Amino acid sequence: MNIKLFIFLVLASACSMPVIAQDDFTGQWHGENKELSMLDLSLSQKDNRLTGTYCYIAQAGNRLDCPPDNEINIHGIVRNGKAEIVFNSSFGGKNGHAELELNGEQMKWQLIKAPVHGDYYAPLDYVLTQQPPATSSITREFSTNKFTVTITSHCGDFNAPCNDMSYLGVRRSDHSVIALKGKTLQNSAGEVVGAEFNNGNVSYKVAYKPVKLTVSEGDRVLVEQAGQWVNGTL
């Protein structure tokens, strides 16, 4: 075979091969900063293309920059072990730029360019850890006179003991949001009767039957309101 033809065929074959990235960013990534903020990324990588969702909870849960209904708000490209991403904020900011870099089971977030034409909440830099595959999550919602609260069990059974509970509370008067992590509460017989979430020295307790929200700081009760499950049952 002519040597020039052979080289041409080799190069053409190489160019026709799909681009395969060396690192895989696929997965659930979570980071926390002294309980004042949380960053969660859900990423899916195909070849060197990256898509996903970005959710940043700031100011001790008072600012929630997350996409509605898991809407895709991250697009990027993986190059040389790093991902260059473009992300949008739920507060109107568009085309923010960040760099992601893998280091084993950890990933570093570095903000390169802030979103424009709107507000946003995003950290300058952050370290996240890859989370194990999640079990099915179960969510329940209840309302009181002043609040709408969504509780999620990430353990697969809402009535089973769980140390991975989430609380998302919305105050109706001004739509302020607080997001917390917590665990279930059991009675002396080991039955799950509610859940508790903490924000510094402030405790948020939810009793299940009947549903009631109690917010206290030490021995001082700040809020105590009966509620109603949205679907009429636990």
Side-chain angles (χ1 to χ4, degrees):
M1 178 184 291
N2 185 290
I3 187 63
K4 291 183 178 180
L5 177 59
F6 174 79
I7 294 175
F8 171 79
L9 292 174
V10 170
L11 292 176
S13 175
C15 291
S16 65
M17 293 177 64
V19 177
I20 300 176
Q22 294 180 348
D23 297 284
D24 190 356
F25 287 78
T26 297
Q28 306 293 324
W29 300 85
H30 174 78
E32 297 185 17
N33 181 13
K34 297 180 180 178
E35 299 183 355
L36 296 178
S37 67
M38 289 187 290
L39 178 61
D40 286 283
L41 302 181
S42 177
L43 302 175
S44 177
Q45 180 179 336
K46 184 176 182 181
D47 296 332
N48 69 332
R49 299 288 178 177
L50 196 66
T51 57
T53 59
Y54 147 95
C55 179
Y56 185 54
I57 299 173
Q59 298 181 15
N62 288 306
R63 290 295 180 269
L64 185 69
D65 194 348
C66 303
D69 300 323
N70 291 322
E71 173 186 304
I72 298 298
N73 62 351
I74 284 180
H75 296 85
I77 296 178
V78 178
R79 293 173 178 164
N80 300 321
K82 297 180 180 180
E84 302 169 10
I85 67 168
V86 176
F87 68 97
N88 295 329
S89 166
S90 62
F91 286 85
K94 304 293 184 184
N95 296 323
H97 289 243
E99 181 181 83
L100 308 177
E101 183 175 3
L102 290 177
N103 182 15
E105 294 184 352
Q106 289 191 325
M107 180 172 65
K108 182 180 179 181
W109 159 288
Q110 183 71 50
L111 182 64
I112 305 301
K113 177 185 175 184
V116 295
H117 307 306
D119 294 329
Y120 74 96
Y121 289 89
L124 292 176
D125 53 75
Y126 223 91
V127 175
L128 303 96
T129 302
Q130 189 168 29
Q131 303 299 292
T135 58
S136 58
S137 297
I138 300 177
T139 297
R140 296 290 185 270
E141 182 180 328
F142 70 89
S143 60
T144 71
N145 289 336
K146 296 183 178 180
F147 302 94
T148 298
V149 178
T150 301
I151 299 177
T152 302
S153 169
H154 301 284
C155 297
D157 185 347
F158 201 81
N159 291 302
C162 181
N163 290 323
D164 189 9
M165 302 286 290
S166 298
Y167 175 105
L168 183 65
V170 180
R171 187 164 56 196
R172 295 182 179 180
S173 59
D174 58 2
H175 302 288
S176 64
V177 177
I178 186 166
L180 304 169
K181 292 289 188 179
K183 60 182 180 180
T184 52
L185 296 172
Q186 288 100 264
N187 60 17
S188 58
E191 299 170 328
V192 173
V193 294
E196 181 176 16
F197 310 85
N198 293 299
N199 181 21
N201 295 326
V202 180
S203 169
Y204 291 68
K205 289 185 179 180
V206 178
Y208 287 170
K209 297 178 181 179
V211 61
K212 183 174 72 172
L213 172 64
T214 304
V215 182
S216 57
E217 186 173 14
D219 296 329
R220 185 163 64 102
V221 176
L222 306 177
V223 174
E224 189 171 41
Q225 294 184 6
Q228 208 169 31
W229 296 106
V230 170
N231 59 0
T233 180
L234 183 60

